[in-house]
Amino acid sequence: MANKNAKKRDKRKRENRLQRLLIFLLLALATFGILSLDLTPQQVHLTVNEIAGEDIYYTGATTAYASELATTEAKAAAADAVSAIYVVDEAVTANLLQQLTDYFAAIDELNIRYATDETYESAQYLEDARAVLPGEYSDEVLRSLRDLDSAQLFTLRDSFGDMLADIYNSGVAADGIDAARSQLAMLIGASTITGDSEVFLKTLLDGMTLPFNQAYDAMAHAAAIEEAMEAVLPVMVTVQSGQKLVSRGSEITEEQIEMLEAVGMQRNSPMYAPYIGLLLLIIGCYTLLYLYLRFYQPQIYKKRSLLWLLLVITVAILLLCKLLSLITISGEAALSLRIGYLLPVAAAAILLSVLLNRDTALFVNFLLAIFVGVIMSGELAYTLAALCGGAAAAITASQLSQRSQFVSASVYIALANLLAIGAYGLLFSENYMHIGVGMLFGAGNGLFSAILAMGLLPFLESAFGITTVIRLLELSNSNHPLLKRLMMEAPGTYNHSILVGNLAEAAADAIGADALKVRVASYYHDIGKLKRPYFYIENQRPGENPHDKLQPALSAMIITSHTTEGAKLLRDDKFPEEIIDIVEQHHGNSVLSYFYDKAKKQALAPEDVRADDYRYKGRIPQTKEAALVMLADGVQAAVQAVINDNKYGIEETVRELIRRRMDEGQLQECPLTFKDIDAIIQSFLMVLSGMNHSRIQYPEQMLKDKEESAQAAGAYDDKSLTAQAQLPESATDA
């Protein structure tokens, strides 16, 4: 049997885990469906030289890309700027200088022969000189050479050689020979060489065949061009949000096609990458959420209704954000994008903080801020604003205790938005008008989010059965219709409920339980007595007890029914299940000992009287709050009936009643510890000592009190019930 039960538990755990995964899967799919709408920018299909039929604007986030066309042009310009590379052939210069040396050496030989050979005549000299020298020389110039000795002749040669070397060392291209010849002639004219020597050199220059010594180096030039092109950085082109990319009626250029492709607007093939990226982002975010809830918020993770609540709020707010982002408020795209500051992520933070808790609200707000960035085409500004505004909402909403405080929450949200929007705009030097419009939307976001959250809160509370502080405060209002009915139709029960609330609330504060929930449950724990108020002793007049005419079994049935009747009444009035559970459990499964004992005394066969026929049908308390209401209910009724109104008598009664509840096993399923029990007793005694403090008795008052005590004693005596014989828990119900 145990093995079978273990298998059932394992199966139930697997089913619960599967259902939670299903919820997260639905959340991821819904988020993907919302965010993927209009994920990619407007798609066009244009070709070069086509005439544009409409203006095309870029509405995405400001982006920059490396333009291949512009970079290619820049590289071409850099290549064109590289001059042709030439190399100087030093051998050409050396040959030219050697040729010059040969000319002067030949003249020197002729001069030596003329000086030493008397048979060598002048005419022959002139003829031989013209034979060894290029150019056309006059007799006078040649005779001037004949008159020069070797030293003078070689000095003239060296001077002319230096001029040639200077010119040729710099390089003489094939098309620069004439320029080199002219430059040499100018150098000769500007030198100290004059007269016939100057004429000789110029004539020699004219007769010489000047070679070029500068050759084009193709490999070096190509290497220089490649180096220059590699030095060119990619040309970045920035596309601003709202920028017009194509004008209607214009001819489409290659640059425009490239720009459209860079921002994802040119449709060449299906775009899968953005959707894959979005899916991965969503999976990552919700995996973090799953792990966070599982390990840090188990009370939410284990309760599927709360996971469904999380799904509904997240999807609803994301869908609203997406719809708002599609609104165009201006013809200027950059200004129209400022609608992103109005996206009510803070509303989700408020709802989650109130309905779940602050930490979960902050975590989910972080994820929603990321998704807002996706909705707004990756603009960091909108993510930052959503993050700050939502954080302010989650923190302030965790302290909400009444609906009017939504106003202060909206102010904090607006301030957080203004700070984030203003700081971002100034940091990145945005247009002041754009900053102003953004701050206007950010301030409106606070009011919009608060109103949205306040409007949705009651529906979510009711739909998911969540009890919020605000709801509890509304239920604790004495003007609530049920409490007003209880006050008018069962005033004794009403007063008893108020006193029970005081006791239970003090004890809840002492042990860290939910004091407000305990107080509200105490107010309504006996609401079922409205059906037959006069069957309960606190609502009876002295001497009038309808139970005297009824069989004990019927009386027990009437008394025990007030828990189920109360639960039914509260369910009809849409009360939170947590309060209804406490109402059903505040007597546990205890036995109405007074009527049970009475039935055994009246029965011919007492052993045939079944205790279960006189037992409450509810579960024993499952929570600290339910246990506190049970104990406070019993203690208040018992102390009310105690004759000895001193500190010792109250404490003895309190301890005896709590010990009895423990002995009956009424507290074995709630998480109370012995330390809690001791704190509860001390809290009860503190409140009861204040409620039952001694006061000065005047003679008239003493006489009146004695009369009332005698009447009360008569009422209890009718049931053979006294404080000394038995603690009157059942008498209170009767």
Side-chain angles (χ1 to χ4, degrees):
M1 185 67 178
N3 190 27
K4 186 177 180 181
N5 290 335
K7 289 183 178 179
K8 288 183 177 179
R9 286 195 298 270
D10 291 341
K11 182 179 179 181
R12 193 179 306 113
K13 287 182 180 179
R14 287 194 299 270
E15 291 176 349
N16 289 337
R17 190 179 300 113
L18 183 61
Q19 290 175 359
R20 294 188 191 99
L21 290 175
L22 179 61
I23 292 173
F24 277 93
L25 178 61
L26 291 175
L27 178 59
L29 290 176
T31 302
F32 180 80
I34 293 171
L35 298 185
S36 62
L37 294 173
D38 198 32
L39 178 63
T40 55
Q42 173 192 355
Q43 298 290 290
V44 296
H45 183 62
L46 301 175
T47 57
V48 177
N49 299 327
E50 179 183 348
I51 302 301
E54 60 179 346
D55 291 335
I56 299 176
Y57 291 89
Y58 173 61
T59 59
T62 298
T63 185
Y65 68 94
S67 172
E68 292 186 6
L69 292 175
T71 303
T72 300
E73 290 179 0
K75 288 184 176 182
D80 292 341
V82 176
S83 300
I85 296 178
Y86 294 89
V87 292
V88 175
D89 189 350
E90 295 180 356
V92 173
T93 305
N95 291 335
L96 183 62
L97 292 176
Q98 183 61 47
Q99 183 181 359
L100 182 64
T101 300
D102 292 342
Y103 293 148
F104 278 88
I107 296 300
D108 185 51
E109 289 179 2
L110 293 178
N111 287 348
I112 294 174
R113 181 180 176 186
Y114 183 79
T116 59
D117 188 357
E118 295 180 356
T119 63
Y120 191 59
E121 298 179 353
S122 177
Q124 185 63 40
Y125 174 86
L126 295 177
E127 182 180 350
D128 291 341
R130 288 187 174 93
V132 298
L133 293 175
E136 300 293 333
Y137 302 90
S138 65
D139 292 345
E140 184 179 358
V141 170
L142 291 178
R143 290 190 188 99
S144 66
L145 288 178
R146 189 182 62 189
D147 296 336
L148 296 177
D149 59 23
S150 296
Q152 292 174 329
L153 192 62
F154 289 132
T155 299
L156 185 61
R157 180 202 64 185
D158 291 342
S159 297
F160 188 39
D162 290 341
M163 296 177 191
L164 280 172
D166 288 340
I167 297 299
Y168 271 82
N169 286 339
S170 299
V172 176
D175 58 353
I177 293 176
D178 292 339
R181 193 182 298 275
S182 298
Q183 191 173 1
L184 282 169
M186 291 176 60
L187 290 175
I188 293 171
S191 67
T192 57
I193 302 172
T194 59
D196 291 335
S197 295
E198 178 182 357
V199 175
F200 167 72
L201 289 180
K202 288 183 178 180
T203 305
L204 178 63
L205 175 63
D206 291 337
M208 290 178 65
T209 301
L210 296 180
F212 63 89
N213 71 338
Q214 190 179 60
Y216 172 67
D217 191 340
M219 293 183 63
H221 190 202
I225 290 175
E226 184 176 356
E227 183 179 356
M229 293 175 68
E230 289 179 354
V232 175
L233 296 176
V235 177
M236 302 301 297
V237 176
T238 300
V239 184
Q240 301 289 341
S241 179
Q243 179 177 335
K244 181 190 286 188
L245 305 185
V246 176
S247 297
R248 180 181 179 183
S250 64
E251 187 174 314
I252 304 299
T253 64
E254 290 185 1
E255 289 77 7
Q256 289 174 320
I257 293 293
E258 182 188 49
M259 186 175 293
L260 291 169
E261 289 177 346
V263 298
M265 296 180 67
Q266 175 72 358
R267 186 177 68 251
N268 292 328
S269 60
M271 297 181 63
Y272 298 115
Y275 297 97
I276 295 174
L278 175 61
L279 183 61
L280 293 176
L281 175 65
I282 292 173
I283 291 174
C285 287
Y286 285 141
T287 298
L288 291 177
L289 178 61
Y290 175 84
L291 295 175
Y292 172 75
L293 294 177
R294 181 175 180 180
F295 293 108
Y296 296 99
Q297 301 293 340
Q299 74 280 7
I300 298 175
Y301 174 78
K302 293 178 180 179
K303 197 168 183 180
R304 291 193 301 274
S305 63
L306 297 184
L307 294 180
W308 281 112
L309 171 67
L310 186 62
L311 182 148
V312 169
I313 292 176
T314 302
V315 172
I317 295 301
L318 277 179
L319 181 59
L320 182 57
C321 289
K322 186 63 179 181
L323 294 176
L324 285 174
S325 70
L326 300 177
I327 297 176
T328 301
I329 61 172
S330 170
E332 184 182 349
L335 191 60
S336 185
L337 279 175
R338 301 294 154 172
I339 193 71
Y341 291 126
L342 192 61
L343 305 187
V345 172
I350 293 175
L351 291 171
L352 292 173
S353 185
V354 173
L355 295 172
L356 298 180
N357 57 59
R358 181 192 60 195
D359 293 342
T360 301
L362 287 171
F363 193 92
V364 175
N365 176 71
F366 171 73
L367 301 183
L368 289 177
I370 294 175
F371 295 149
V372 164
V374 175
I375 291 174
M376 300 309 298
S377 303
E379 284 284 359
L380 177 63
Y382 304 104
T383 295
L384 179 64
L387 191 63
C388 294
I395 294 171
T396 55
S398 63
Q399 306 298 323
L400 289 178
S401 59
Q402 52 189 355
R403 297 192 188 276
S404 61
Q405 290 180 318
F406 277 102
V407 176
S408 60
S410 69
V411 173
Y412 284 115
I413 296 169
L415 290 176
N417 285 337
L418 291 176
L419 180 62
I421 296 167
Y424 184 91
L426 295 175
L427 180 62
F428 292 99
S429 303
E430 290 186 343
N431 183 289
Y432 286 151
M433 185 184 74
H434 291 175
I435 296 176
V437 173
M439 295 178 75
L440 181 63
F441 278 126
N445 189 335
L447 181 61
F448 179 38
S449 296
I451 293 174
L452 181 62
M454 186 165 56
L456 291 176
L457 186 59
F459 297 100
L460 295 173
E461 285 177 333
S462 177
F464 292 93
I466 296 176
T467 308
T468 64
V469 173
I470 297 173
R471 176 66 171 150
L472 289 175
L473 288 170
E474 291 174 347
L475 295 177
S476 67
N477 193 323
S478 59
N479 287 323
H480 191 280
L482 283 180
L483 287 181
K484 293 186 75 172
R485 277 190 62 193
L486 191 65
M487 187 189 306
M488 300 301 296
E489 300 175 24
T493 300
Y494 175 80
N495 291 327
H496 161 70
S497 299
I498 298 299
L499 296 175
V500 170
N502 294 337
L503 286 169
E505 184 178 27
D509 286 331
I511 67 172
D514 192 332
L516 181 57
K517 185 189 296 183
V518 165
R519 171 174 283 278
V520 173
S522 299
Y523 286 174
Y524 294 93
H525 79 285
D526 279 343
I527 199 69
K529 294 180 180 180
L530 281 175
K531 190 168 185 180
R532 305 178 188 88
Y534 293 106
F535 279 87
Y536 303 90
I537 192 169
E538 70 267 22
N539 300 315
Q540 296 171 3
R541 295 178 181 178
E544 297 180 3
N545 191 341
H547 292 285
D548 294 339
K549 303 174 183 179
L550 300 177
Q551 291 296 321
L554 182 58
S555 294
M557 184 182 69
I558 294 173
I559 297 300
T560 58
S561 68
H562 84 276
T563 56
T564 55
E565 293 289 349
K568 183 178 182 301
L569 194 61
L570 295 181
R571 283 196 176 93
D572 291 342
D573 208 30
K574 308 298 182 184
F575 265 62
E577 282 296 325
E578 294 162 316
I579 302 299
I580 297 173
D581 289 342
I582 295 175
V583 171
E584 289 181 320
Q585 297 169 16
H586 81 276
H587 281 297
N589 58 5
S590 60
V591 176
L592 279 172
S593 56
Y594 172 76
F595 293 110
Y596 176 57
D597 293 339
K598 183 178 179 181
K600 288 197 295 184
K601 290 177 182 179
Q602 294 178 357
L604 296 176
E607 64 276 5
D608 293 337
V609 178
R610 299 171 62 250
D612 288 345
D613 294 336
Y614 297 86
R615 189 183 300 277
Y616 282 95
K617 308 305 179 185
R619 296 180 65 185
I620 63 177
Q622 303 295 302
T623 62
K624 289 183 178 182
E625 290 77 13
L628 288 176
V629 175
M630 167 185 275
L631 297 177
D633 179 37
V635 164
Q636 198 282 323
V639 171
Q640 186 74 22
V642 169
I643 296 176
N644 185 8
D645 187 19
N646 57 50
K647 177 76 166 57
Y648 175 77
I650 293 175
E651 182 172 356
E652 183 181 51
T653 302
V654 170
R655 292 187 180 276
E656 171 62 20
L657 185 136
I658 293 178
R659 183 194 61 77
R660 181 194 300 174
R661 291 289 182 263
M662 295 175 65
D663 292 344
E664 292 173 352
Q666 298 298 316
L667 304 180
Q668 64 184 10
E669 292 186 9
C670 67
L672 287 178
T673 64
F674 286 111
K675 183 178 180 180
D676 291 337
I677 295 295
D678 186 63
I680 291 169
I681 292 173
Q682 297 304 319
S683 298
F684 282 171
L685 292 177
M686 183 179 299
V687 175
L688 290 170
S689 63
M691 294 167 59
N692 297 280
H693 63 277
S694 300
R695 58 185 178 181
I696 298 175
Q697 294 280 344
Y698 294 95
E700 296 83 0
Q701 183 66 35
M702 293 175 64
L703 180 60
K704 182 177 180 181
D705 289 347
K706 288 181 179 180
E707 292 176 352
E708 291 179 350
S709 297
Q711 292 175 353
Y716 285 110
D717 288 340
D718 287 340
K719 304 184 188 67
S720 301
L721 183 65
T722 63
Q724 293 87 343
Q726 180 177 345
L727 289 175
E729 181 271 329
S730 57
T732 305
D733 284 338

mmCIF file of all heavy atoms in Angstrom, residues 37 188 227 324 598 625 662:
data_model
loop_
_atom_site.group_PDB
_atom_site.id
_atom_site.type_symbol
_atom_site.label_atom_id
_atom_site.label_comp_id
_atom_site.label_asym_id
_atom_site.label_seq_id
_atom_site.Cartn_x
_atom_site.Cartn_y
_atom_site.Cartn_z
ATOM 1 N N LEU A 37 6.282 40.382 -33.962
ATOM 2 C CA LEU A 37 5.484 41.246 -34.827
ATOM 3 C C LEU A 37 6.298 42.482 -35.194
ATOM 4 O O LEU A 37 6.789 43.186 -34.313
ATOM 5 C CB LEU A 37 4.195 41.673 -34.120
ATOM 6 C CG LEU A 37 3.177 40.567 -33.816
ATOM 7 C CD1 LEU A 37 2.045 41.122 -32.968
ATOM 8 C CD2 LEU A 37 2.634 39.980 -35.105
ATOM 9 N N ILE A 188 75.971 75.027 -66.998
ATOM 10 C CA ILE A 188 77.232 75.470 -67.605
ATOM 11 C C ILE A 188 77.287 76.993 -67.664
ATOM 12 O O ILE A 188 78.301 77.627 -67.335
ATOM 13 C CB ILE A 188 77.382 74.870 -69.007
ATOM 14 C CG1 ILE A 188 77.546 73.344 -68.923
ATOM 15 C CG2 ILE A 188 78.572 75.488 -69.751
ATOM 16 C CD1 ILE A 188 77.481 72.641 -70.272
ATOM 17 N N GLU A 227 49.916 48.757 -50.201
ATOM 18 C CA GLU A 227 50.116 49.279 -48.855
ATOM 19 C C GLU A 227 49.202 50.474 -48.586
ATOM 20 O O GLU A 227 48.615 50.612 -47.506
ATOM 21 C CB GLU A 227 51.578 49.676 -48.673
ATOM 22 C CG GLU A 227 51.907 50.164 -47.269
ATOM 23 C CD GLU A 227 53.372 50.520 -47.117
ATOM 24 O OE1 GLU A 227 54.146 50.316 -48.083
ATOM 25 O OE2 GLU A 227 53.748 51.008 -46.033
ATOM 26 N N LEU A 324 1.146 49.920 -28.275
ATOM 27 C CA LEU A 324 1.462 51.341 -28.107
ATOM 28 C C LEU A 324 2.651 51.749 -28.976
ATOM 29 O O LEU A 324 2.692 52.865 -29.493
ATOM 30 C CB LEU A 324 1.775 51.634 -26.640
ATOM 31 C CG LEU A 324 0.582 51.688 -25.684
ATOM 32 C CD1 LEU A 324 1.057 51.844 -24.246
ATOM 33 C CD2 LEU A 324 -0.357 52.832 -26.050
ATOM 34 N N LYS A 598 -24.393 15.487 27.199
ATOM 35 C CA LYS A 598 -25.830 15.558 27.459
ATOM 36 C C LYS A 598 -26.555 14.401 26.773
ATOM 37 O O LYS A 598 -27.467 13.783 27.343
ATOM 38 C CB LYS A 598 -26.369 16.896 26.963
ATOM 39 C CG LYS A 598 -27.849 17.114 27.247
ATOM 40 C CD LYS A 598 -28.280 18.500 26.760
ATOM 41 C CE LYS A 598 -29.773 18.723 27.012
ATOM 42 N NZ LYS A 598 -30.212 20.054 26.528
ATOM 43 N N GLU A 625 -2.105 31.098 10.878
ATOM 44 C CA GLU A 625 -3.216 32.041 11.012
ATOM 45 C C GLU A 625 -4.498 31.340 11.454
ATOM 46 O O GLU A 625 -5.230 31.843 12.332
ATOM 47 C CB GLU A 625 -3.439 32.761 9.683
ATOM 48 C CG GLU A 625 -2.351 33.751 9.303
ATOM 49 C CD GLU A 625 -1.088 33.107 8.769
ATOM 50 O OE1 GLU A 625 -1.153 31.898 8.455
ATOM 51 O OE2 GLU A 625 -0.060 33.788 8.672
ATOM 52 N N MET A 662 -4.008 21.212 22.071
ATOM 53 C CA MET A 662 -2.856 20.411 21.685
ATOM 54 C C MET A 662 -3.102 18.933 21.949
ATOM 55 O O MET A 662 -2.765 18.073 21.124
ATOM 56 C CB MET A 662 -1.615 20.894 22.439
ATOM 57 C CG MET A 662 -1.182 22.315 22.066
ATOM 58 S SD MET A 662 0.192 22.922 23.061
ATOM 59 C CE MET A 662 1.487 21.814 22.555
#
